[in-house]
Amino acid sequence: LAKTTQPISMDSYEGQEVNITCSHNNIATNDYITWYQQFPSQGPRFIIQGYKTKVTNEVASLFIPADRKSSTLSLPRVSLSDTAVYYCLVVLLTGGGNKLTFGTGTQLKVEL
Amino acid sequence: DGGITQSPKYLFRKEGQNVTLSCEQNLNHDAMYWYRQDPGQGLRLIYYSQIVNDFQKGDIAEGYSVSREKKESFPLTVTSAQKNPTAFYLCASSMLSGNTEAFFGQGTRLTVV
């Protein structure tokens, strides 16, 4: 079971780059790494997903080393509106199909 | 337009009563999920389902029940056996593949008094 570990909280200032690292030592061959963002009293929202190396979209970049035992979500030039909880997931393919298991997430606080 | 809908947004019930939370999706997704979130905590998986008429227990299934009679619908019943039912409940759906994206509803905040 690929459990994920992330920092509980991080602080940053507007305009800075933020990197949130997630450990998933027991990731399996067919697992993908996915990141979600959640604002208070809302459902999580998909940010980015990857399998290996680097993935980039209009919101973030995801860096995955060759051994895939960790991943880093990179948010360029954060703003106040990026204050949220960020979850790292390893999508497990169990005998019954996907089982999306969320950890405790990382609370990112962005200040002026 | 397509999406996943939870209703109601707020729900109040008396202790000892069963209550059913609705979740409907028109995304043609095979998989559906129910999560519970307590203040300041992460999401905990209650039940999930990959196909009609089949579902699996998550990490905290005790005191809850679900059904999946239609692909579009995955209602959650919070029974009187659930010791601490007051929480924020989130429903999600996704395709059944490795590189899947889960779509979440807006949640139902259940308060038991």
Side-chain angles (χ1 to χ4, degrees):
Chain A
L1 197 65
K3 181 180 177 180
T4 59
T5 303
Q6 356 174 183
I8 293 175
S9 63
M10 295 183 69
D11 295 327
S12 185
Y13 294 96
E14 275 202 318
Q16 289 190 333
E17 178 184 79
V18 171
N19 297 308
I20 306 174
T21 297
C22 178
S23 297
H24 27 80
N25 291 318
N26 297 323
I27 190 168
T29 302
N30 294 332
D31 289 339
Y32 284 77
I33 299 153
T34 311
W35 286 80
Y36 287 81
Q37 175 193 56
Q38 186 184 27
F39 297 111
S41 298
Q42 293 185 24
R45 183 176 68 104
F46 174 89
I47 300 175
I48 197 167
Q49 185 176 70
Y51 185 79
K52 60 181 180 181
T53 64
K54 177 183 175 182
V55 179
T56 298
N57 61 23
E58 64 278 6
V59 176
S61 293
L62 179 60
F63 299 91
I64 305 169
D67 65 6
R68 305 200 327 123
K69 293 184 184 300
S70 66
S71 60
T72 299
L73 174 72
S74 182
L75 304 172
R77 299 179 297 282
V78 294
S79 64
L80 293 175
S81 62
D82 292 316
T83 294
V85 178
Y86 293 82
Y87 295 95
C88 165
L89 274 73
V90 171
V91 179
L92 303 172
L93 294 178
T94 68
N98 283 328
K99 180 182 177 184
L100 298 181
T101 301
F102 285 73
T104 54
T106 298
Q107 172 67 63
L108 172 64
K109 182 179 179 182
V110 180
E111 299 175 293
L112 288 172
Chain B
D1 61 326
I4 181 165
T5 303
Q6 290 186 242
S7 62
K9 190 170 183 179
Y10 298 96
L11 189 56
F12 294 87
R13 279 294 182 269
K14 291 184 178 180
E15 192 173 341
Q17 290 182 331
N18 291 355
V19 59
T20 298
L21 282 57
S22 171
C23 180
E24 304 278 333
Q25 54 98 1
N26 59 4
L27 300 167
N28 200 33
H29 285 167
D30 295 300
M32 296 188 75
Y33 314 82
W34 273 106
Y35 295 90
R36 169 184 172 135
Q37 188 170 36
D38 294 287
Q41 305 296 313
L43 281 71
R44 291 186 290 169
L45 182 64
I46 305 172
Y47 270 99
Y48 64 108
S49 167
Q50 288 82 48
I51 57 173
V52 173
N53 293 323
D54 187 48
F55 45 83
Q56 309 293 328
K57 290 183 179 180
D59 301 316
I60 55 165
E62 185 176 351
Y64 299 97
S65 66
V66 293
S67 63
R68 188 86 186 274
E69 297 177 1
K70 299 185 299 182
K71 187 175 184 178
E72 307 80 34
S73 180
F74 191 41
L76 173 75
T77 297
V78 184
T79 75
S80 56
Q82 168 52 233
K83 297 287 188 277
N84 298 295
T86 294
F88 187 48
Y89 290 88
L90 286 160
C91 179
S93 70
S94 71
M95 294 299 290
L96 274 182
S97 65
N99 56 338
T100 185
E101 172 184 347
F103 291 81
F104 282 80
Q106 287 301 302
T108 293
R109 190 168 298 280
L110 172 65
T111 302
V112 175
V113 296

